[in-house]
Amino acid sequence: MLKRMQTTRGRSSGLVPAVVSALAFGGSGVAAKPLIHAGLDPLHVVWLRVTGAALVLLPLAWRHRALVTRRPALLAGFGLLGVAGVQACYFAAISRIPVGVALLVEYLAPALVLGWVRFVQRRPVSRAAAVGVVLAVGGLACVVEVWSGLGFDAVGLLLALAAAGCQVGYFVLADHGSEGEKPADPAGVIAYGLLVGALLLTVVARPWGLDWSVLAGSAELRGSQVPAVLLLAWIVLVATVAAYLTGVISVRRLSPQVAGVVACLEAVVATVLAWVLLGEHLSLPQTVGGAVVLLGAFIAQSSAPKASASAPVAVGEGPAGARSEVRGPRTAAERELPTGSGPA
């Protein structure tokens, strides 16, 4: 009885940071889009976000400095795919298509992972997982309005799909990196992933060409002028640092399935905020399709076999922030699908 009460209390204490993390990540796109419209290149916004967060988390990186020699491949993979790749593609996507649509496209990541497992690794997947994939793809067809020849910019949709693909690459890399090795602290992986991502983005984004005058001015948010530096501070401190760290706390206290369900709040929050603050309205079929995408992603995730009790290796976050938890050594059956949803 006492053990059950302690478990319930632990899950309850994990729900609060999980919800906070989902809310924080959900607001990243809404804060970034006005900066892009004000004149900043999407890659420059990503560079500012990742570099700012990496600087804030430098003390955490120093604390876990042993990871540099112990798990260099995991850190490089997380920085390249889980940070730089996902966020760059997502921010570029929202510069062309609505925030909610870009994030919902990203939620195809669990379905794409199952495709990798079934057709590349040639391992069977459960019937429930297959149903989840079908629902997610069908819901996405409604979101992008395929009956009207795609109701959104094709390049923007491809960029959103690229963000989902980067998440799949990270899932697969982290899954292989966890085999037969001592699990790494997820907070340390996040800190170094941001550092690696910042270095990579510095080469790609070329921040020396950034128009710093935009940050000294203001950006339009639903007819109101908001200081650009305030939006940037929100993206760095709330939508990145706070979101990642509360996400780490939540997955340590919740089961992967529960964490994945709460993570779906991110897409809901992002869509509602984009509706209210950016005027990006979705039609009824798109709204229903979005709900079906989330339902399919949830079914695909929850159908994965339970992982062993080993400690988490890393928690991956997309540009918007959807989470993925990769645990320690697992059996082949347990590695059917990395738990959690796909970071925007």
Side-chain angles (χ1 to χ4, degrees):
M1 182 67 179
L2 179 60
K3 184 177 181 180
R4 184 180 300 174
M5 291 176 62
Q6 290 175 338
T7 301
T8 302
R9 190 180 300 114
R11 289 179 178 176
S12 298
S13 64
L15 279 175
V16 173
V19 171
V20 170
S21 182
L23 292 175
F25 273 118
S28 64
V30 175
K33 196 155 189 173
L35 292 177
I36 296 172
H37 286 171
L40 286 181
D41 186 274
L43 275 178
H44 288 162
V45 178
V46 176
W47 179 83
L48 288 168
R49 177 187 188 181
V50 173
T51 304
L55 292 174
V56 172
L57 295 181
L58 268 179
L60 197 58
W62 176 255
R63 179 181 176 182
H64 297 283
R65 56 191 179 277
L67 285 174
V68 176
T69 54
R70 279 182 46 222
R71 306 299 295 276
L74 179 60
L75 301 184
F78 182 72
L80 173 63
L81 300 174
V83 174
V86 177
Q87 297 194 28
C89 292
Y90 173 72
F91 275 24
I94 67 172
S95 70
R96 309 178 71 102
I97 62 177
V99 171
V101 173
L103 193 53
L104 288 168
V105 172
E106 239 191 278
Y107 267 76
L108 277 182
L112 294 176
V113 171
L114 283 171
W116 172 275
V117 170
R118 180 65 183 88
F119 297 108
V120 178
Q121 296 183 337
R122 297 186 180 282
R123 289 193 279 120
V125 297
S126 66
R127 183 175 299 178
V131 170
V133 171
V134 172
L135 286 174
V137 174
L140 185 64
C142 294
V143 171
V144 301
E145 298 182 322
V146 292
W147 55 84
S148 61
L150 297 182
F152 299 106
D153 182 277
V155 175
L157 291 173
L158 288 175
L159 287 167
L161 280 172
C166 285
Q167 288 197 50
V168 173
Y170 169 66
F171 290 161
V172 173
L173 174 66
D175 183 52
H176 286 293
S178 67
E179 295 178 2
E181 295 195 30
K182 181 180 178 182
D185 190 293
V189 174
I190 287 172
Y192 275 103
L194 288 168
L195 282 172
V196 172
L199 291 174
L200 292 171
L201 287 168
T202 298
V203 176
V204 176
R206 301 179 180 180
W208 45 87
L210 194 154
D211 187 0
W212 295 96
S213 63
V214 174
L215 296 178
S218 59
E220 184 178 349
L221 190 64
R222 192 64 183 218
S224 301
Q225 295 298 315
V226 180
V229 70
L230 184 62
L231 293 174
L232 179 61
W234 172 274
I235 294 171
V236 172
L237 299 178
V238 178
T240 308
V241 175
Y244 272 103
L245 294 181
T246 52
V248 168
I249 294 171
S250 69
V251 297
R252 287 177 170 177
R253 299 177 181 177
L254 298 174
S255 68
Q257 283 75 20
V258 174
V261 174
V262 178
C264 289
L265 282 175
E266 179 192 344
V268 177
V269 170
T271 303
V272 171
L273 288 179
W275 193 318
V276 174
L277 299 178
L278 301 178
E280 295 181 347
H281 298 273
L282 298 183
S283 65
L284 180 59
Q286 290 170 336
T287 303
V288 173
V292 173
V293 169
L294 297 181
L295 176 62
F298 165 65
I299 293 175
Q301 291 167 173
S302 60
S303 65
K306 292 184 178 180
S308 61
S310 54
V313 171
V315 180
E317 307 284 352
R323 277 156 298 288
S324 66
E325 180 182 1
V326 181
R327 293 184 173 263
R330 295 169 288 172
T331 66
E334 290 171 331
R335 289 196 301 271
E336 178 176 323
L337 177 66
T339 54
S341 59

